[in-house]
Amino acid sequence: MKRSADAVVIGAGVIGAATGYYLARSGLKVLVLERDFPCAGSTGRCIGGIRAQFSHDLTIRVMMESVRLFRGLGDELGEDVEWYQGGYLFLAFDEKRKQAFLDAIAIQKKYGLDVRFVSPDECEKIAPGLDPTGLVGGAYCPTDGQANPFKVTYGYLEGIKRLGGGLVVGCEVNQVNRQGDKLISVTDAKGDEYACDMLLNAAGCWADEVGEMAGVKVPVKADRHESLVTEAVERVFDPMLVDYRSDGCYFVQHSGTGHFIGCYTPVPLVPGHNVDATDEFITEMPRRMVRLVPKLAGVKVLRQWAGSYEMSPDGNPICGGTPLRGFHVSSGMSGHGFMFAPALGKLMAEQMVEGRASIPLDEFFLSRSFGKAEAMK
Amino acid sequence: MKKSKVQRPKSKVRRPVRNRTSPIANRQFAVVVCRCEEVTEAEVRGVVRTGYHSLEAVKRVLRTGMGHCQGRGCLRLIARIIQEETGIPASEQKMPRPRPPLKPLPLGLLGSHKDEA
């Protein structure tokens, strides 16, 4: 079977869905090809936080745009995406971390972000129940927030369908076809061919494999991160708590459902496409959560799971064109794909259609040198 | 039977009344297939008819199997609905992966291993 579209997107995670939506909104016929089911990769395993507190200038600008878009996303998609502006509170337990936060705040302030360093007392007020032992203070941004990754992704996909595009599930692309230096189509494992003018590689931590099909090297590597979710309880506090200590963790209570959901970054990192759950996590994560907020001790854990961060060499996204004309990439989100998605989807659609995004993405281009690492990973 | 020595931490956090905003009472004659998340047969059929033909996809749209019982009660029923709607035999549908702790356990209990050492 042969089908055609103006733009084909590989991967129905949030990046593929969002970029596909904004491409469709600019008048293109879009087909999203998904090997498994929407949200089967990193999107469906993420904890749904959204923040603009970063240290990289372009990331801060794009995230601020994302927060703006998330605010109106429910109306745009006609679907309650459970956006809730509960803020993010980054906790500092030593002077070095405090200084790192102050440095980042100075950069964030340049762009007008509502962010400040708060005292341990204020931290307790922002997150009632937080044990302030050892706390030096926190970086707090009240405009950061959370949303439901499933609702956002499926909302964008339904939007694509409304705009005349489509989603094909069970479609594993294994060949990118070219004529000279120009892309012409892709072929899937069943032999179906999809002709297109533009192709977006939004394959998440498999973006390297899709890149290879076109002879383009996309330097992303999967890294395992584990998460857990508790039963729903009445509202305890609003912000996402981030504890960057080597035995720290991040967790948030979801406004839509009342569940606490959280994860931590393992030391050392666990590379590879491995989504097995471990005994270490299901005992360590609760210890770390209860240490920070003792009154959560009686809240029950429902499930633990694992997912991959698609890490780029510097922790920043890899976006834009490639040496193969018509072939674009948006991957390497390094754990921030969900929060990046609305703005980066919109900007990448502009990049693909007009050749230039309204916030220039040059520092995320595949052709950049991967030097300066993100300090607020 | 010997009494368990493990002290179950008491919750200082109250359980919520309801997860869902639309009370079942207002959905006349609704057949509930997922009790934990209060999802009805009609809602499941609706999602399958929009083109989501797998337990995993239905789960992500409606939260079926994400509640307290983790799908013990609903997944087989939903597999049958998918079979009726699409012809894909229930036995050939991929079940979401079971994950620990299987039965809900308190954070304080799970995290107490270091205190005992």
Side-chain angles (χ1 to χ4, degrees), chain A residues 319-338:
Chain A
C319 292
T322 70
L324 175 61
R325 204 145 46 91
F327 183 56
H328 302 258
V329 62
S330 190
S331 178
M333 299 297 152
S334 306
H336 309 127
F338 176 60

Side-chain angles (χ1 to χ4, degrees), chain A residues 79-96:
Chain A
E79 159 93 50
D80 176 14
V81 297
E82 293 170 16
W83 160 249
Y84 182 71
Q85 215 151 20
Y88 255 68
L89 181 61
F90 286 80
L91 303 169
F93 288 92
D94 57 48
E95 291 300 324
K96 202 176 143 208

Side-chain angles (χ1 to χ4, degrees), chain B residues 59-102:
Chain B
K59 172 181 168 181
R60 276 153 185 80
V61 179
L62 291 174
R63 302 191 51 83
T64 43
M66 288 191 185
H68 259 251
C69 85
Q70 289 288 300
R72 283 182 189 79
C74 65
L75 289 175
R76 281 170 196 287
L77 294 172
I78 295 166
R80 262 175 52 198
I81 296 175
I82 294 174
Q83 176 176 328
E84 284 171 19
E85 292 288 335
T86 67
I88 304 167
S91 57
E92 285 173 25
Q93 293 172 34
K94 201 177 128 211
M95 284 279 164
R97 190 172 173 176
R99 295 280 203 179
L102 301 180

